[in-house]
């Protein structure tokens, strides 16, 4: 049984930092590309970042230069370091396991909702001004 669990969200002031973590169990973590998505009320969930099984990283333009994705395959854990946070980064953040069938462990194409095999429960990030 696959389980995906995020942690690390919270309330932070503009310009501050947070680090999200995501631990996946019940699968061979190192085989999968992993993604971070976020969602605000009334809007569609959007891709934020992706990291391939080999560590190649991609970012949405809105977070490029401020967010850093990484993974520790020995710990089955994915991270998202978020710096220089802005109010528009406020959202629920979701960790996603991208399907082998569609992505083969890589981030091409850019992660889409229908390419996600497993979701975490989400963690709230609130950036206050």
């Amino acid at each position: 049984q696959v389980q995906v669990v995020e942690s690390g969200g919270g309330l932070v002031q503009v310009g501050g930092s947070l680090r999200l973590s995501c631990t996946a169990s019940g699968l061979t973590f190192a085989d999968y590309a992993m993604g971070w998505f976020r969602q605000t009320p009334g809007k569609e969930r959007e891709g934020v970042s992706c990291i391939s099984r080999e560590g190649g990283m991609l970012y949405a333009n809105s977070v490029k230069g401020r967010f850093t994705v990484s993974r520790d395959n020995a710990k089955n854990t994915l991270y998202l370091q978020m710096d220089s946070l802005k109010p528009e980064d406020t959202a629920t953040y979701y960790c996603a396991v991208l399907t082998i069938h569609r992505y083969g462990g890589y981030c091409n194409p850019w992660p889409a909702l229908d390419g996600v095999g497993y979701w975490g429960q989400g963690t709230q990030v609130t950036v206050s001004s």
Side-chain angles (χ1 to χ4, degrees), residues 3-4 7 10 15 17 23 29 42 47 52 55 78-79 84 90-91 101 107 109 112 128:
Q3 289 190 319
V4 182
S7 62
S17 298
T23 300
F29 181 80
S52 74
L78 174 73
Y79 303 99
S84 302
T90 295
H101 174 74
C107 296
S128 67

Side-chain angles (χ1 to χ4, degrees), residues 57-111:
M57 299 166 283
L58 290 177
Y59 300 94
N61 287 335
S62 59
V63 306
K64 200 173 294 182
R66 300 187 298 119
F67 289 12
T68 303
V69 64
S70 61
R71 65 191 296 162
D72 185 338
N73 289 340
K75 296 181 178 180
N76 283 12
T77 301
L78 174 73
Y79 303 99
L80 185 67
Q81 177 68 39
M82 304 185 294
D83 299 317
S84 302
L85 282 161
K86 304 176 180 180
E88 52 264 43
D89 295 319
T90 295
T92 301
Y93 283 72
Y94 296 89
C95 174
V97 181
L98 304 181
T99 65
I100 295 288
H101 174 74
R102 182 163 179 177
Y103 294 94
Y106 297 94
C107 296
N108 184 24
W110 176 251

